[in-house]
Amino acid sequence: MTKGNINVSVENIFPLIKKFLYSDHEIFLRELISNATDATLKLKHLTNIGEAKVEYGNPKIEVKIDKAGKKLHIIDQGLGMTAEEVEKYINQVAFSGAEEFLDKYKDSAKDSGIIGHFGLGFYSAFMVAEKVEIITKSFKDAPAAHWTCDGSPEFTLEPADKTDRGTEIILHIAEDSTEFLEDSKISELLLKYNKFMPVPIKFGTKEINDPEHEPQTVKGEDGKETKEPHRKITVDNIINNPNPAWTKQPADLKEEDYTGFYRELYPMQFEEPLFNIHLNVDYPFNLTGILYFPKLSNDMQMQKDKIQLYQNQVFVTDNVEGIVPEFLTMLRGVIDSPDIPLNVSRSYLQADGAVKKISSYITRKVADKLKSLFNANREDFEAKWNDIKIVIEYGMLSEEKFFEKAEAFALYPTVDGKFYTYEELFNKIKANQTDKDGKLVILYASDKDAQHSYIESAKAKDYEVLLLDSPIISHLIQKLESTKENITFARVDGDHINNLIKKDENTISKLDEDQTKALDELLKEVIPSEKFTVQLEAMDSNESPFTITQPEFMRRMKEMQATGGGGMNMFGNMPEMYNLVVNTNSELVSEILETKTKKKQERLINQSLDLARLSQGLLKGEELTNFIKRSYEMIK
């Protein structure tokens, strides 16, 4: 038997590991199973190239709980180690400059990229165990070895009587970590971190119907036929899928394979994904994965943190910020890359040039897939537009490269359910919707019902009205106006339609200058100036006498501020201001002007104003009650 000290230059490495490297104790199981997987896959490689003269077989990793003995066992059938290799890999920790490291990090619980150089995954076992044993037998012709350590730098190493190849790690679970002796806890961790590991993982057994026994139909004494019960057999409970869809070639997968894998990833998700994007790249970095477009609501915050990041099929995190561009964090799925630089606890991404490359590759791949889906089946793409537009619009806003590529598939729907690309829209409306100054005005509504009357006024002039209703549309409009030449967007309720697209022709007012001045003074006496700016316009006599509009700039700034950025805080604090457009050619307006008594004039103005406010949903509470009461009085 050998006794000795682990070769580290600090007195006790284990508190350091416990405190500084791994903030999350549960990941010890991930680390130990990752090591067991590596040992198994290395053996596979050595047998393939003829260096290991052994039968590889169908190895698995087993996790066993011994509750009475307070032990957790992790057993593999991989390479195994000789006593010399235990000495080399377990005892002589490559912990160069440990004192400097300890000095640097003693006041900080932050994980560090430096740690990744020291291969300390095995030592995470000491976060939950007061003693750890390794019993290991190499694939080489050498005696088995038994290593024991109680969390101090002292260890023992002696021969063991293990005869089968591989390594068994025994954790004597500490009093403060007995939760890791519960089946439910270990099962939860295996499913979280090891669900797609490339080697089968056994955790206990389960009963299934015997596939070789077909239940027979038998006749009872009463002559009734019944089917005999299934014969049960006990089999290993393999908790993982070693060959998940993303590890296969797209050519080998059917649509139902992608859907099945989506259900495997999100068993509680009942809606099918709209479509998927299979990522597969081996240069300039390795990356595989499958991203799914789910049906998205307008609530952008609800959707995030659904993409899972793996490193060689080991789950790392579902916070993929930095690897996946911000706008794609609303998608779901898996990304697996051995090249993603992580620190030793795999909790934090290291800032790295490769990460930026990965992010821009994913952006390009998603854009290319959207374009091909649009080209292959435009009708289907249009049908799904409302469920995917948030991602696409957000991408157009936040990623310049995506904005350029989106020109080919970003859609602009109209209130009548037609869909145009930007180029199609431009060609369709440029003749009719260019104003007298040569600027193309793109009209849009955000709510078909609330803005119905304004939409109808625009349609009466054969104008096309888009329906743009996502929460970030104000930001996107701003971007389009600054990148496209000589265009402007105007919401249909931003002004009277004649003012939104000004043409050369002018409607002549029925009122002369004195009457117009008198009307203006009368309206300003009655209408509250802190809420409304009165605007006299000569329009067709059959158009509304009073129309309420909200200035485009002010409304847009408020909206942009509400969804982050765009307008300064001053816009959010300003009271709601509206324009009241009064049609000087309306019969009602002439009647107001000709009415002899001041009281009746005021009543007609208030009633007309309230009708205009009612049509905009601006009449509420006491004012609405008074309006209804007044309206009944007038009917009487």
Side-chain angles (χ1 to χ4, degrees):
M1 179 171 97
T2 310
K3 280 194 169 191
N5 277 4
I6 292 167
N7 182 22
V8 290
S9 26
V10 279
E11 176 51 35
N12 193 341
I13 193 174
F14 301 106
L16 175 70
I17 287 165
K18 208 161 184 168
K19 190 172 179 190
F20 294 109
L21 303 199
Y22 297 101
S23 50
D24 191 355
H25 286 194
E26 68 179 32
I27 55 82
F28 80 92
L29 191 59
R30 177 189 74 186
E31 295 301 313
L32 296 179
I33 288 179
S34 295
N35 289 349
T37 303
D38 287 345
T40 310
L41 296 178
K42 279 175 186 164
L43 180 69
K44 184 180 188 178
H45 177 65
L46 293 179
T47 55
N48 284 345
I49 62 172
E51 246 184 66
K53 311 291 185 197
V54 293
E55 188 67 38
Y56 179 67
N58 295 300
K60 57 180 175 277
I61 295 161
E62 184 175 5
V63 180
K64 277 197 313 197
I65 294 173
D66 170 5
K67 204 162 183 179
K70 293 190 176 175
K71 290 185 284 194
L72 183 67
H73 300 248
I74 291 119
I75 306 155
D76 72 56
Q77 297 161 349
L79 283 172
M81 288 181 282
T82 62
E84 291 76 23
E85 285 168 337
V86 172
E87 183 74 50
K88 181 179 173 184
Y89 297 121
I90 303 295
N91 296 338
Q92 295 173 18
V93 179
F95 212 88
S96 51
E99 288 103 329
E100 295 94 309
F101 174 83
L102 191 55
D103 283 346
K104 186 169 179 184
Y105 288 101
K106 64 185 176 199
D107 299 323
S108 151
K110 276 271 190 318
D111 295 16
S112 158
I114 309 168
I115 307 164
H117 305 155
F118 305 122
L120 290 170
F122 164 73
Y123 287 105
S124 63
F126 286 97
M127 295 191 302
V128 299
E130 58 193 15
K131 182 167 89 171
V132 177
E133 298 178 67
I134 302 173
I135 304 168
T136 182
K137 171 94 171 72
S138 172
F139 73 98
K140 300 167 188 168
D141 187 18
H146 184 181
W147 178 92
T148 310
C149 179
D150 64 359
S152 72
E154 293 172 7
F155 69 89
T156 61
L157 181 60
E158 56 192 329
D161 54 10
K162 181 175 169 67
T163 54
D164 52 330
R165 180 192 73 225
T167 299
E168 177 172 6
I169 293 177
I170 304 165
L171 277 63
H172 296 259
I173 299 296
E175 281 304 321
D176 63 356
S177 298
T178 52
E179 62 182 303
F180 298 111
L181 291 168
E182 300 297 331
D183 280 21
S184 58
K185 182 67 177 174
I186 296 300
S187 183
E188 174 201 323
L189 295 184
L190 290 171
L191 284 171
K192 178 175 178 181
Y193 292 110
N194 307 104
K195 193 175 179 179
F196 300 111
M197 293 289 271
V199 178
I201 299 166
K202 175 189 173 184
F203 183 53
T205 57
K206 62 182 177 183
E207 279 198 336
I208 62 163
N209 294 332
D210 183 351
E212 292 180 13
H213 170 248
E214 186 58 45
Q216 302 300 309
T217 302
V218 291
K219 269 190 179 175
E221 289 177 15
D222 56 0
K224 281 186 179 173
E225 288 190 347
T226 56
K227 222 173 191 185
E228 62 183 4
H230 276 280
R231 192 162 65 207
K232 299 284 185 185
I233 56 168
T234 301
V235 295
D236 289 348
N237 179 34
I238 303 297
I239 59 93
N240 60 324
N241 170 3
N243 302 298
W246 84 80
T247 62
K248 300 172 185 172
Q249 289 300 314
D252 299 335
L253 295 167
K254 297 187 176 72
E255 202 50 50
E256 53 265 34
D257 296 320
Y258 287 111
T259 310
F261 181 56
Y262 185 76
R263 288 203 195 98
E264 213 177 323
L265 281 175
Y266 309 106
M268 301 311 290
Q269 188 58 235
F270 302 113
E271 277 195 299
E272 303 268 295
L274 298 166
F275 44 77
N276 62 71
I277 296 169
H278 198 132
L279 305 166
N280 198 341
V281 64
D282 51 23
Y283 182 82
F285 45 79
N286 284 294
L287 181 136
T288 52
I290 300 170
L291 295 179
Y292 293 92
F293 268 78
K295 280 193 164 187
L296 290 174
S297 72
N298 272 353
D299 184 357
M300 290 151 65
Q301 295 311 313
M302 293 290 289
Q303 311 297 337
K304 294 190 180 176
D305 292 343
K306 298 286 186 192
I307 295 175
Q308 298 174 11
L309 178 65
Y310 288 75
Q311 198 176 46
N312 293 323
Q313 291 176 243
V314 184
F315 175 75
V316 176
T317 180
D318 52 15
N319 176 9
V320 291
E321 204 178 316
I323 297 163
V324 173
E326 173 78 9
F327 77 101
L328 292 177
T329 56
M330 291 181 275
L331 302 190
R332 298 196 173 143
V334 164
I335 286 170
D336 189 335
S337 174
D339 296 334
I340 290 171
L342 300 161
N343 58 23
V344 73
S345 76
R346 311 191 199 208
S347 311
Y348 292 94
L349 190 66
Q350 304 303 321
D352 187 275
V355 172
K356 286 193 177 68
K357 284 190 188 125
I358 289 171
S359 178
S360 59
Y361 164 77
I362 293 170
T363 300
R364 190 173 75 246
K365 187 78 180 173
V366 169
D368 292 346
K369 175 73 174 187
L370 289 166
K371 184 179 177 179
S372 72
L373 286 166
F374 175 73
N375 291 340
N377 188 342
R378 177 165 178 162
E379 199 178 326
D380 182 57
F381 195 85
E382 288 179 357
K384 290 172 176 167
W385 177 254
N386 272 334
D387 294 309
I388 61 174
K389 67 184 178 193
I390 283 279
V391 176
I392 293 172
E393 289 170 355
Y394 192 12
M396 289 169 73
L397 261 179
S398 57
E399 298 280 331
E400 207 50 52
K401 288 272 191 301
F402 188 81
F403 180 80
E404 290 161 20
K405 283 180 170 282
E407 187 91 358
F409 55 79
L411 292 176
Y412 298 86
T414 71
V415 288
D416 299 320
K418 290 182 283 194
F419 290 85
Y420 297 111
T421 62
Y422 182 81
E423 190 182 356
E424 289 165 351
L425 178 70
F426 181 86
N427 292 331
K428 175 89 169 58
I429 66 173
K430 68 177 175 187
N432 199 26
Q433 288 181 219
T434 301
D435 68 13
K436 62 185 177 64
D437 300 320
K439 190 165 240 189
L440 180 70
V441 182
I442 301 170
L443 298 174
Y444 72 101
S446 58
D447 185 325
K448 267 202 307 193
D449 293 332
Q451 292 151 9
H452 182 266
S453 61
Y454 300 93
I455 293 167
E456 290 305 303
S457 296
K459 281 176 156 187
K461 292 181 176 288
D462 285 333
Y463 293 157
E464 203 69 69
V465 181
L466 301 181
L467 180 60
L468 305 178
D469 58 1
S470 75
I472 53 172
I473 205 64
S474 303
H475 297 273
L476 185 59
I477 282 171
Q478 197 91 335
K479 183 165 178 71
L480 287 162
E481 287 175 339
S482 63
T483 50
K484 307 284 182 191
E485 273 187 43
N486 217 18
I487 65 148
T488 186
F489 280 78
R491 204 167 86 177
V492 283
D493 58 346
D495 204 334
H496 186 267
I497 193 65
N498 292 352
N499 291 334
L500 290 177
I501 305 180
K502 286 188 170 163
K503 301 287 187 178
D504 280 329
E505 65 268 15
N506 281 325
T507 308
I508 295 165
S509 177
K510 286 181 184 175
L511 306 182
D512 61 28
E513 203 176 315
D514 290 344
Q515 288 172 309
T516 305
K517 192 180 174 190
L519 177 65
D520 189 46
E521 286 170 3
L522 176 60
L523 292 168
K524 283 176 178 169
E525 278 175 34
V526 180
I527 288 162
S529 60
E530 68 279 5
K531 286 185 185 173
F532 296 98
T533 303
V534 176
Q535 200 176 308
L536 302 184
E537 299 278 348
M539 298 183 282
D540 293 345
S541 56
N542 58 357
E543 294 205 34
S544 292
F546 282 33
T547 309
I548 290 174
T549 63
Q550 192 171 20
E552 176 79 16
F553 170 77
M554 184 71 71
R555 193 209 66 253
R556 205 189 285 184
M557 285 300 153
K558 276 176 170 284
E559 284 171 1
M560 285 171 72
Q561 193 190 320
T563 52
M568 294 179 295
N569 205 36
M570 57 181 267
F571 293 106
N573 298 333
M574 284 183 77
E576 291 287 347
M577 276 295 289
Y578 296 91
N579 290 336
L580 177 66
V581 182
V582 178
N583 180 4
T584 58
N585 288 343
S586 153
E587 281 184 30
L588 177 63
V589 171
S590 299
E591 191 183 325
I592 289 170
L593 200 54
E594 289 160 14
T595 297
K596 298 288 181 263
T597 69
K598 198 85 167 163
K599 200 173 179 183
K600 191 179 177 189
Q601 276 182 328
E602 282 178 14
R603 195 170 75 232
L604 286 171
I605 292 168
N606 282 325
Q607 191 71 2
S608 304
L609 175 63
D610 282 355
L611 279 165
R613 290 165 82 195
L614 190 66
S615 74
Q616 280 284 282
L618 296 173
L619 206 56
K620 294 182 176 76
E622 188 182 352
E623 290 179 325
L624 179 59
T625 307
N626 292 341
F627 167 76
I628 292 166
K629 204 168 163 185
R630 191 187 329 124
S631 300
Y632 280 131
E633 290 297 324
M634 290 173 85
I635 293 168
K636 281 197 290 188

